């Protein structure tokens, strides 16, 4: 019997508000869609790995021709975008959090190329669509697990940067923990890096020294510290429980397939529109889910989590979206 409880993923794709069309409606492309992705970090990094996984799945199905560039510096990003557009790539995927203006200028110069970019801002007609990992719902559920599990009533949280995309997940986690344990307190720190495991590990150790017995591992390195100290951890975006057995209580997972598949279908059908694809990361669209290790979490807690998940999926419970920087309790 599988020792993990995994919330069912449902891919239900419905319409989204359109701003403009890249191609005339009905002008479908011939052959596979040519897709290029531009990543500022290695494809192994958790956030980027989810995009890469979804694109590889579409490639394996024979729907796209897929190439990518990783470890692209912000100073080179605009150049790489232009190179792919000049090569006739039909869909460019990536993240532009640090270079919004430059990326949007490139998209404006290539109106017949579809762009789908991780962004903190809005879509721009005719061809610049945006997305983000809106997994605040499973993050709330993971917080419920952590809040019930802590014995010291102190939870440590180590994040990368205090940007809305990270803040909303951490705030949802905190809210979920408080829902089951009003006495829980939080220690919060940002390492100002997307990938610095030693720094994240050092921050985690300091929190454990201050009494934290559960760690929210938004960055790599935190779970390693948890293993060394024998405390539990909560994962984010990907499931790392196999790498850290008997340590990861639960993880809020991001699934990019609903977003990527919808964009590919739109480009192939000549109906790609500048739109915000963020909603397709919601649990109701199959873009987010929760995995829980049943060997580490009680049946009573699992029942509460399942009941809340059911309410979310039925539209009867809405997790708050709070983009403000989370802070430690005094």
């Amino acid at each position: 019997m599988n020792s993990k409880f995994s919330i069912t993923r449902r891919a239900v794709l419905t319409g989204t508000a359109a701003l403009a069309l890249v191609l005339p409606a009905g002008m479908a492309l011939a052959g596979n869609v040519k897709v290029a992705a531009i990543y500022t970090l290695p494809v192994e990094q958790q956030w980027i790995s989810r995009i890469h996984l979804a694109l590889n799945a579409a490639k394996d199905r024979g729907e796209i021709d897929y190439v990518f560039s990783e470890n692209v510096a912000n100073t080179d990003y605009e150049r790489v975008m232009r190179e792919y557009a000049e090569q006739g790539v039909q869909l460019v995927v990536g993240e532009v959090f640090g270079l919004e203006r430059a990326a949007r200028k490139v998209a404006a110069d290539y109106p017949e190329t579809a762009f789908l970019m991780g962004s903190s801002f809005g879509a721009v007609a005719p061809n610049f669509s945006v997305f983000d990992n809106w997994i605040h719902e499973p993050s709330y559920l993971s917080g419920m697990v952590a809040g019930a599990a802590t014995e010291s009533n102190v939870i440590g949280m180590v994040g990368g940067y205090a940007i809305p995309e990270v803040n909303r997940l951490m705030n949802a986690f905190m809210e979920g923990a408080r829902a089951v344990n009003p006495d829980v307190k939080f220690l919060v720190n940002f390492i100002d890096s997307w990938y610095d495991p030693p720094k994240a590990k050092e921050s985690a150790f300091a929190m454990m020294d201050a009494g934290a017995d559960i760690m929210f591992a938004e960055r790599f390195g935190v779970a390693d510290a948890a293993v060394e100290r024998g405390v539990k951890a909560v994962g984010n975006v990907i499931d790392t429980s196999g790498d850290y057995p008997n340590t990861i209580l639960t993880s809020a997972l991001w699934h990019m397939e609903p977003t990527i598949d919808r964009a590919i279908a739109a480009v192939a059908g000549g109906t790609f529109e500048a739109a915000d694809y963020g909603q397709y990361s919601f649990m109701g669209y199959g873009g987010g889910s929760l995995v829980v290790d049943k060997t580490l979490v009680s049946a009573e807690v699992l029942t509460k989590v399942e009941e809340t998940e059911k309410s979310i999926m039925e539209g009867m419970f809405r997790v708050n979206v709070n983009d403000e920087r989370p802070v430690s309790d005094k």
Side-chain angles (χ1 to χ4, degrees), residues 134-204:
W134 288 82
I135 55 169
H136 55 296
E137 296 163 324
S139 294
Y140 179 96
L141 299 176
S142 71
M144 293 178 65
V145 174
T150 179
E151 296 180 0
S152 66
N153 282 336
V154 179
I155 296 177
M157 306 183 70
V158 180
Y161 290 93
I163 62 172
E165 291 73 21
V166 175
N167 296 346
R168 71 174 67 108
L169 307 186
M170 295 176 76
N171 282 319
F173 173 87
M174 296 165 78
E175 187 174 343
R178 291 184 177 122
V180 299
N181 184 355
D183 296 326
V184 69
K185 303 296 182 183
F186 297 92
L187 301 174
V188 182
N189 186 43
F190 294 91
I191 63 172
D192 294 329
S193 172
W194 291 130
Y195 189 77
D196 192 339
K199 190 173 183 180
K201 190 175 182 180
E202 180 183 358
S203 180

Side-chain angles (χ1 to χ4, degrees), residues 92-159:
V92 179
V93 181
E95 84 277 14
V96 295
F97 298 106
L99 56 149
E100 295 278 357
R101 293 188 183 279
R104 291 160 190 269
K105 183 178 184 299
V106 173
D109 290 343
Y110 297 92
E112 294 187 358
T113 303
F115 292 87
L116 178 65
M117 295 293 186
S119 171
S120 299
F121 298 95
V124 178
N127 61 331
F128 192 89
S129 290
V130 296
F131 70 88
D132 199 0
N133 64 327
W134 288 82
I135 55 169
H136 55 296
E137 296 163 324
S139 294
Y140 179 96
L141 299 176
S142 71
M144 293 178 65
V145 174
T150 179
E151 296 180 0
S152 66
N153 282 336
V154 179
I155 296 177
M157 306 183 70
V158 180

Side-chain angles (χ1 to χ4, degrees), residues 5-9 138 141 255 283 288-291 305 309 313:
F5 157 73
S6 183
I7 290 175
T8 302
R9 291 172 53 199
L141 299 176
H255 309 289
M283 291 180 70
S289 70
L290 188 79
V291 62
V305 170
E309 180 264 342
M313 300 296 279

